[in-house]
Amino acid sequence: MRVRIDHDCRAAVLVLFKCIYTENYLPPHSFLSMTTSVNATLEQQIPKTDGVPLPVSLLSSIDKTSSSLPTDDLVDEAEEQFSWTTTIFHRKHTAPPDPDAIATRRSVFDDPDLAPHYWPKKEYENLHRFDPTARWTYKEERALVRKLDWKIMVMAAIGFSALNLDRSNINQANSDSFLQDLGLTTDDFNLGNTVFLLAFLCAELPSQLVSKRVGPDRWIPTQICLWSFVSLSQFWLAGRTSFLVCRALLGALQGGYIPDLILYLSYFYTKTELPMRLTLFWMSLNFCGIIASFLAYGTLHMDGIAGAAGWRWLFMIEGILTLLIGFFSFFNMPPSPTQTKTWFRPNGWFTEREEIIVVNRVLRDDPSKGDMHNREGLTLRRLWTAVCDYDLWPIYILGLMFGIPNTPPATYLTLLLTDIGFNTFDTNLLTIPYQALGIVTMFLITLVSEFVNERSIVSMIEDVWTLPFLVALYALPSNPNPWIFFAVVTGLLSYPYTHAIQVAWCSRNAGAVASRTVNASLYNMFVQASGIISAQIYVASEAPRYQRGNMILIIICIVNICILYPGTKAYYIWRNRQRAKIWDAMTTEERVHYLSTTKDVANRRLDFRFAH
C-alpha cells in the first residue's frame, strides 16, 4: 500500500509541475481527478506484438510529465572513449538485438529530480509529440531511420551536390581555354579563388542568423536558386572584372549553406547517426565530381555551338540543373518531423506514432535540441557567448590546418595534368579515379571512427595518408613520366576525407542548438580560411612543379600530425577530468540545486563531457 501511495503522489506532483511549467494552471478541484486519471492511464493494457507487451506513447497533449513508468526496459548505452588496447585485444562480439525488444535509450527524462531542468521550452515546435513515457522497438526505429534517410537525407544530399557542382565547375572550365579566352593568368585564377573564399567566409554567420530566423527549410532552397542564377550567368563572362564579381557573388550566396544543412539534419537525427550521414554528404561530393567530369567531357565538346566556347556551355547547363534542384527543394524540405503536412502533401510523411518516435529519440539523445523553436532567431548575447566558447577553439584550429596539405594539388589538378602532357578531354576523365577511391576511403574512415568511438586520432589519419605522397611528389624529377606523376597525385587525392567527422565533432561539443548553429559556422569559416591560405602556396613563378609549395605542404602536414591533433585530444581529456572531479563529488541534492540555479548553458555545464 505504501508503494502505491508513493507512486500516486509522484505522478500527481509531476503532472502538476508540468501544468504550471506550461502555464496551464490546474484549479484546486482538478488535482485529485488528475492523479486518478494518470494512474488509470498507466494501468491501461498495452498493445502486444507476438505476445510481447509493446509500450506506446501514453500521452498526447501538451500536459506531459516525466516518466512515471518503470524504466527497467530502457537501453543503457554508456559511451567509452577510444583505447587502442581495448580495440585490438578485447574486441566485443555482441549479438544483434531482438527486433521486438525496446530500443528506447535511457536519458535524464527518466530521473524525476533532474528531468524538469532539461524539459523542452514551451515554444519548441515538437512539444506536442514529446513524451518521456514513449517506448519503441528496434524494428520500429530501424524502419523509421530508413524512412528518414529516403525522405530527408536524399534531398539534403542532392542539395549538397548542387553546391559542389556550382562551386567546383571552374576546375573543369580550367581544362579548356577558360583562362586564355578571358585573358587571365594563374595568379588571376588564385585571386578569384581567394575572393570566392573570402566572400564565402564572411557570409557564414549572417547566413546562419537568417536561417535561424526564417527556418533552414526556407533559406536553403532560396540559397540554391540564387547562386544557380549567378552560376549560369557565367556564360556571359567577359574578362577579369566580371570573373571576380561572379566569384564574389557565388561565395556570398553559398556561404553558410553547409552549417544550415547540418542544423536542419540535427532536427531528425541523433548525434551518433549524424557523422555517418555527413560522410554521405562528402561522399556525394566525390560522386558529384565524377558526374561533373562526365558532364564536362560532354559540354566541352559543345565548343563552337552558337559561337560560344565549351566552358561557357558548361556553366549554363550546370547552372540550370542546380536551379531545378533548388526549385524542387522548396517542396521537399519540411520544417520539422511534426510539420510535414501541407497543401501539396495533405497526409504528410509520418504517422503520429512515427512523429512521437522521431521527436523523443532525438530529445533523449540531446535534450538541448528542445531549447529553441526552429524559427527562433539568435540574440546578440547568445551569439557572443558562442563566439567566446574557448573550448571549441582547438577544433577551429584543426579546421584551419587539416585540409591545407592536400588542397593545392586538388585545386590545380587539371592544370597539372595538362602541363604534364594530357589533353583537355583526357584530363577531365583522369580526375575520376581519385574521386571514386575517395568515396571508399571516406566511408571506411567514418566506419572506423564509429567503431572505436574516436575522433581526434582517426581524423589525423587524413594527414598521415597525405604525407608520404607529398614527399613522393616533391622527390619526382623535373620531367617525370606523366603516368607516374598521375599515379602519385591520384594516390595523394584519394585520402580519407575526415571533414565530416570534424563537423559532427564540433556540433556535438557545442552542446546546444543556439551555440551549435554559430559554432558550426565558425568552424566552417576556419575551413574556408584554410582555402585562402592554400590558394597562396602554389604560385605561377614555380610552375609546373611547385617544389617550394610542396615543401611547405609537407611541413604543415607534420605539424598537424605531431602537434595539433594530439594536443587537441589531450586538452579535451584534461577538461573532462576537471569537470568529472567536481560533478562526481556532488550528491544528488547538490546536482539538482546546481541545475536549478546555474546560469551555465550548453557545454559550460558541469554535467557536459567533451567528445574527443
Side-chain angles (χ1 to χ4, degrees), residues 119-276:
W119 208 273
K121 300 295 177 62
K122 60 183 179 181
E123 296 86 4
Y124 178 53
E125 68 276 5
N126 301 313
L127 184 60
H128 62 294
R129 293 288 185 250
F130 173 60
D131 183 358
T133 67
R135 302 289 185 269
W136 54 89
T137 65
Y138 284 101
K139 183 178 180 180
E140 287 181 296
E141 186 172 66
R142 289 168 184 166
L144 182 57
V145 171
R146 284 195 299 268
K147 191 171 184 177
L148 287 170
D149 288 340
W150 280 109
K151 298 291 186 181
I152 304 299
M153 188 63 203
V154 169
M155 192 65 237
I158 292 173
F160 188 70
S161 297
L163 171 74
N164 293 305
L165 197 62
D166 284 336
R167 184 168 59 171
S168 62
N169 53 15
I170 190 157
N171 293 327
Q172 280 84 34
N174 241 349
S175 66
D176 197 21
S177 57
F178 176 74
L179 295 182
Q180 295 85 342
D181 290 350
L182 296 179
L184 303 177
T185 66
T186 303
D187 290 338
D188 292 328
F189 178 71
N190 284 345
L191 178 60
N193 282 335
T194 301
V195 168
F196 171 83
L197 292 170
L198 277 173
F200 197 102
L201 188 154
C202 293
E204 288 278 355
L205 279 178
S207 178
Q208 282 289 282
L209 295 176
V210 173
S211 180
K212 271 308 278 145
R213 172 60 67 184
V214 305
D217 57 293
R218 295 173 178 170
W219 181 235
I220 288 174
T222 301
Q223 283 180 290
I224 298 176
C225 291
L226 290 176
W227 84 56
S228 295
F229 280 117
V230 176
S231 182
L232 66 88
S233 72
Q234 292 177 105
F235 179 90
W236 293 280
L237 287 178
R240 186 173 184 268
T241 301
S242 57
F243 167 67
L244 294 177
V245 169
C246 280
R247 298 314 293 171
L249 288 174
L250 280 174
L253 293 171
Q254 292 178 347
Y257 179 84
I258 294 174
D260 292 340
L261 208 52
I262 293 171
L263 172 66
Y264 178 73
L265 289 176
S266 70
Y267 296 158
F268 299 89
Y269 291 103
T270 66
K271 61 177 178 284
T272 54
E273 294 165 345
L274 197 54
M276 179 56 72

Side-chain angles (χ1 to χ4, degrees), residues 272-294:
T272 54
E273 294 165 345
L274 197 54
M276 179 56 72
R277 270 74 189 174
L278 293 180
T279 297
L280 294 176
F281 270 10
W282 275 273
M283 286 172 63
S284 73
L285 183 154
N286 286 37
F287 181 75
C288 178
I290 295 172
I291 300 299
S293 296
F294 283 113

Side-chain angles (χ1 to χ4, degrees), residues 7-44:
H7 181 275
D8 292 349
C9 292
R10 178 184 172 191
V13 169
L14 289 170
V15 171
L16 180 62
F17 169 81
K18 184 55 183 172
C19 291
I20 294 174
Y21 181 79
T22 57
E23 299 181 1
N24 292 324
Y25 296 99
L26 289 174
H29 65 273
S30 300
F31 185 77
L32 182 59
S33 61
M34 177 63 76
T35 305
T36 306
S37 173
V38 170
N39 287 321
T41 304
L42 294 174
E43 292 169 359
Q44 289 177 350

Side-chain angles (χ1 to χ4, degrees), residues 488-501:
V488 172
V489 175
T490 298
L492 190 159
L493 298 180
S494 300
Y495 59 86
Y497 193 36
T498 58
H499 183 45
I501 297 173

Side-chain angles (χ1 to χ4, degrees), residues 455-530:
R455 292 153 192 85
S456 51
I457 303 301
V458 172
S459 295
M460 186 179 71
I461 293 176
E462 176 177 332
D463 286 304
V464 172
W465 175 293
T466 302
L467 182 59
F469 288 104
L470 283 175
V471 173
L473 193 62
Y474 179 81
L476 285 175
S478 56
N479 293 302
N481 179 291
W483 289 106
I484 293 178
F485 180 84
F486 165 73
V488 172
V489 175
T490 298
L492 190 159
L493 298 180
S494 300
Y495 59 86
Y497 193 36
T498 58
H499 183 45
I501 297 173
Q502 294 184 178
V503 169
W505 184 13
C506 179
S507 178
R508 183 169 181 172
N509 279 359
V513 172
S515 54
R516 183 176 292 121
T517 185
V518 177
N519 294 133
S521 289
L522 289 172
Y523 170 79
N524 212 45
M525 288 172 68
F526 276 84
V527 173
Q528 301 311 317
S530 76

